[in-house]
Amino acid sequence: MKFRNIIFDCDSTLTTIEGLDEIARRKGMLEQVEVITQQGMDGEISYKISFQKRWLEIVRPTKEDLQWLGEFYIKNLTPGVAEVIARLKSEEINIFILSHVPELSIKILADYLDLPKENVFAVPIEFNQDSVMSVPEAFLEIIDNFKDRITREICTDGPTVMVGDGMTDYEAGKYADLFIGFGGVAIRPKLKKLCQFYIEEPRLQPVVDIVL
């Protein structure tokens, strides 16, 4: 199959870090965040509640924090990202980033990778008078299905591949023509069992071998 589109998750896929954890570590809040993250992974709370508690109640990142994170992503790219992006572009495949991270940070990364900003789908944000991030309530109402919605939309344009490391990526990938699990940063045993294609090498090049 000739693919027209490829969608990448950001954290632990295009980059070797988890963005929220890095901001929380920088602000001395990582332990608090990890408790909520685990509750979400255990199914005790919805993703919406997990997002609100971690991003909006505990960490409360400023514009400066998110700009810092965008630059930190660039310093922590997964090996092979630049080569993979270049090869996919040479095959005229549209490249998208789909992430639950605030869009300011993701757009800094996308700009570095020379991807159009309109191909970035991330969390829309606003800032209050203290430069602290907030998220429109309308978006929070759909955040649990955000990745699914965007993947379905992109798929209407042609055969599509989804690449990601987590279960939200896998669920969204059900709407794509192919899902590739990426365990090159962190192996998720539950996800690995579900995937036809699962990359454990700590580099992104195998994506090209699968897609092309």
Side-chain angles (χ1 to χ4, degrees):
M1 179 184 292
K2 170 66 175 177
F3 292 103
R4 179 170 176 78
N5 310 300
I6 186 164
I7 308 168
F8 287 100
D9 178 40
C10 176
D11 291 11
S12 296
T13 301
L14 288 178
T15 70
T16 61
I17 61 173
E18 291 288 324
L20 175 60
D21 287 356
E22 296 304 328
I23 296 179
R25 181 179 287 111
R26 187 173 184 237
K27 301 179 79 167
M29 300 171 175
L30 182 58
E31 193 170 317
Q32 294 169 265
V33 165
E34 287 178 333
V35 170
I36 306 301
T37 299
Q38 191 60 49
Q39 289 176 344
M41 292 178 68
D42 292 341
E44 297 175 16
I45 56 176
S46 68
Y47 187 80
K48 176 186 175 182
I49 298 300
S50 173
F51 182 93
Q52 287 178 304
K53 285 181 175 292
R54 294 180 300 163
W55 281 100
L56 304 179
E57 297 175 19
I58 297 173
V59 177
R60 302 182 73 243
T62 63
K63 187 174 184 178
E64 187 274 333
D65 289 329
L66 297 177
Q67 289 172 329
W68 171 86
L69 176 58
E71 297 298 330
F72 202 57
Y73 276 145
I74 293 168
K75 294 175 182 176
N76 290 276
L77 289 174
T78 298
V81 167
E83 294 82 0
V84 168
I85 296 292
R87 181 66 194 285
L88 294 172
K89 283 183 175 181
S90 74
E91 296 291 331
E92 300 185 338
I93 296 175
N94 301 316
I95 303 165
F96 299 85
I97 303 178
L98 176 56
S99 173
H100 281 133
V101 171
E103 61 185 4
L104 174 57
S105 303
I106 303 299
K107 285 182 176 179
I108 290 172
L109 172 62
D111 186 58
Y112 177 81
L113 295 174
D114 196 27
L115 299 178
K117 286 185 169 56
E118 58 267 28
N119 285 17
V120 170
F121 295 94
V123 178
I125 54 173
E126 301 165 346
F127 296 100
N128 66 19
Q129 63 271 23
D130 297 319
S131 195
V132 174
M133 180 188 96
S134 65
V135 176
E137 183 61 35
F139 180 82
L140 289 175
E141 290 303 315
I142 65 156
I143 195 169
D144 285 332
N145 299 310
F146 170 59
K147 287 191 173 184
D148 296 4
R149 289 181 179 216
I150 298 301
T151 302
R152 287 200 302 266
E153 181 181 321
I154 292 171
C155 286
T156 62
D157 186 48
T160 300
V161 183
M162 174 76 188
V163 183
D165 73 298
M167 287 305 298
T168 57
D169 305 310
Y170 175 76
E171 292 300 329
K174 290 179 180 179
Y175 298 98
D177 299 275
L178 175 67
F179 176 77
I180 300 173
F182 186 70
V185 176
I187 292 178
R188 323 269 188 207
K190 180 180 177 182
L191 179 64
K192 180 180 177 180
K193 289 179 182 178
L194 295 170
C195 293
Q196 177 184 2
F197 294 101
Y198 192 79
I199 298 168
E200 295 185 47
E201 295 180 50
R203 60 195 188 97
L204 213 58
Q205 282 95 336
V207 168
V208 170
D209 298 332
I210 296 169
V211 171
L212 303 181

